[in-house]
Amino acid sequence: MQVPHWLQAQPDSLAAWLSSGGRRRSVLWYPLLNLIWLFWMVAAPWAFGPARPWVLAATLASLPVFLALYHRAWLGPRRQLGRITGAIAVLGLAMVLVNTSWSYVIYAACFIPFAAPRRRAWVWTALLLAALYATAVWGANFPQSTAVVATVMTAVLALMNFLTRSNQERDAELRLTQDEVRRLATAAERERIARDLHDLLGHTWSLVAVKAELARKLLSRDTAAAARELAEIEQVARQSLAQVRDAVSGMRAPVLAAELASARLLLEAAHIALHPQGFESPPPLAPAAEAALALGLREAVTNVQRHARASQVRVQLESSGTHAELGVHDDGRGTGSRRGNGLAGMEERLKAVGGSLLLESNGGRGTRLQVRVPLATGGEAGLA
């Protein structure tokens, strides 16, 4: 079902930023779920005695104003979030005086961590909490205990969003680091390919050119000598072909090793220990199968870092009969039998190369992902 235009988040909105880490596949369910706090805004006038008509009228009049600000805070440009949060805070403090509910203030406190640089956001949060306490005690005549509960509850919810912001920024830094590692690895590989091709083919084809020219000159006066030169050209060409095959095989070999290095970097940054086995002498793999295996390792490690809450990950590469097997086993909380888009895409890639995927997960006892791909045949190894 297509999302209505007015519910679509702008690219630089808070909802889009929080969704960029992949934790929430939809930018809508979380803001909609948070509207549950409005229940207390409507129920408060009855909770502390008979609801007076003017209190109900003020409360109902405030709701569309708040919803418009709330919509803009989540889906509008993030550069406007500071002003919108300030407006919600003013509205919330005013409503504390009217119907004793501080729900709007909670929303403002939860937006502040995303509305300003970290140090300034802490100052704004402290000022808002002080204003809430003062308004509740001296303006709305809250009992001291109720004012403390309101202030502490608001502070805890704001702190949770400060932690969410920190985690989101850390994930963004990790993604940038991984991208930089891959970029540098790609650049280094391109330089190595250029150097190897120059070393291998430059001398060989210079020799072929010289011998071909010599054979052409000898054809008119010494056919036997020309035939010997042509035979040597054939031999040099075959040797060059073998060298190119070896070089290309070496170029493709680091694919899985580079992915393992990237996985180590990602997990170490998340304080998760990685224990690899079997990568010292990897089994022979066709390029497509190795690429599928490397992408499987990337998906598995990314899922561990984001969802597993693990402390250790064991990655084992081994050959069994006609297949190579890569196992990734973590000691996290487990994910059940759920398969997201990443695992579905991995299965499609594996099927394309004749491989398979097995996911075993028990709540609280970790998750084990096993990826199998065919070993390279003699022809594939030669062409690698």
Side-chain angles (χ1 to χ4, degrees):
M1 183 177 65
Q2 188 175 7
V3 178
H5 174 74
W6 60 277
L7 281 179
Q8 293 179 358
Q10 296 193 22
D12 58 341
S13 66
L14 175 61
W17 182 72
L18 286 176
S19 299
S20 63
R23 288 192 178 90
R24 304 184 181 102
R25 300 200 177 275
S26 170
V27 298
L28 293 178
W29 74 266
Y30 189 71
L32 290 175
L33 180 63
N34 275 342
L35 289 176
I36 193 173
W37 291 104
L38 293 182
F39 170 79
W40 182 244
M41 176 62 65
V42 177
W46 282 277
F48 298 100
R52 288 170 288 182
W54 72 272
V55 172
L56 291 177
T59 301
L60 293 177
S62 73
L63 285 174
V65 177
F66 167 77
L67 289 174
L69 293 171
Y70 184 78
H71 172 276
R72 197 66 180 168
W74 273 107
L75 305 183
R78 197 175 169 196
R79 63 181 179 274
Q80 300 177 0
L81 185 57
R83 294 193 296 272
I84 294 170
T85 301
I88 295 175
V90 171
L91 179 64
L93 293 171
M95 292 307 298
V96 170
L97 298 173
V98 173
N99 75 350
T100 70
S101 172
W102 63 93
S103 296
Y104 292 162
V105 180
I106 290 177
Y107 287 106
C110 289
F111 281 131
I112 286 177
F114 308 111
R118 191 182 304 273
R119 185 174 299 178
R120 192 186 307 167
W122 282 110
V123 174
W124 287 4
T125 302
L127 292 175
L128 179 61
L129 294 175
L132 172 60
Y133 182 83
T135 304
V137 173
W138 294 301
N141 296 319
F142 276 32
Q144 190 81 14
S145 58
T146 304
V148 170
V149 168
T151 305
V152 170
M153 179 187 297
T154 306
V156 169
L157 293 172
L159 177 60
M160 290 174 62
N161 275 6
F162 274 108
L163 294 176
T164 298
R165 171 179 174 167
S166 296
N167 291 336
Q168 189 77 3
E169 291 176 344
R170 185 192 66 181
D171 288 351
E173 291 174 0
L174 288 174
R175 289 194 299 274
L176 288 174
T177 302
Q178 280 191 294
D179 291 342
E180 182 66 12
V181 169
R182 293 192 182 102
R183 187 188 67 79
L184 293 175
T186 300
E189 188 68 6
R190 286 174 178 170
E191 292 178 2
R192 190 172 74 87
I193 290 172
R195 185 174 61 252
D196 289 351
L197 288 178
H198 177 270
D199 293 343
L200 287 173
L201 300 181
H203 171 73
T204 298
W205 289 106
S206 296
L207 180 61
V208 167
V210 170
K211 285 188 170 292
E213 183 181 2
L214 179 58
R216 180 176 56 80
K217 292 179 179 178
L218 290 173
L219 277 175
S220 58
R221 62 177 186 269
D222 192 342
T223 307
R228 287 195 298 272
E229 294 297 331
L230 291 173
E232 290 182 8
I233 289 175
E234 180 183 1
Q235 183 180 4
V236 169
R238 291 185 183 278
Q239 290 175 350
S240 176
L241 179 59
Q243 291 173 343
V244 169
R245 284 174 174 169
D246 291 341
V248 173
S249 177
M251 292 170 190
R252 285 170 172 164
V255 170
L256 190 55
E259 200 58 53
L260 179 66
S262 180
R264 186 187 299 278
L265 177 67
L266 175 65
L267 293 176
E268 285 182 353
H271 306 290
I272 302 173
L274 176 65
H275 305 286
Q277 294 180 347
F279 288 85
E280 299 81 4
S281 54
L285 295 168
E290 184 177 1
L293 212 60
L295 291 173
L297 176 61
R298 179 187 303 178
E299 181 68 24
V301 169
T302 301
N303 285 340
V304 170
Q305 185 268 329
R306 288 181 177 171
H307 309 298
R309 297 182 184 174
S311 60
Q312 297 187 64
V313 178
R314 298 189 180 278
V315 180
Q316 185 168 3
L317 178 64
E318 58 185 358
S319 58
S320 174
T322 59
H323 286 76
E325 297 181 356
L326 175 70
V328 182
H329 187 191
D330 67 77
D331 63 350
R333 60 179 179 173
T335 59
S337 58
R338 293 175 296 134
R339 297 198 178 197
N341 293 334
L343 290 177
M346 191 195 308
E347 277 191 306
E348 292 177 3
R349 287 191 295 268
L350 289 169
K351 287 179 180 178
V353 297
S356 62
L357 178 148
L358 175 65
L359 178 65
E360 298 175 346
S361 179
N362 296 310
R365 291 188 292 176
T367 301
R368 184 174 185 272
L369 183 73
Q370 182 177 338
V371 179
R372 300 180 79 241
V373 295
L375 294 174
T377 63
E380 289 172 328
L383 292 173

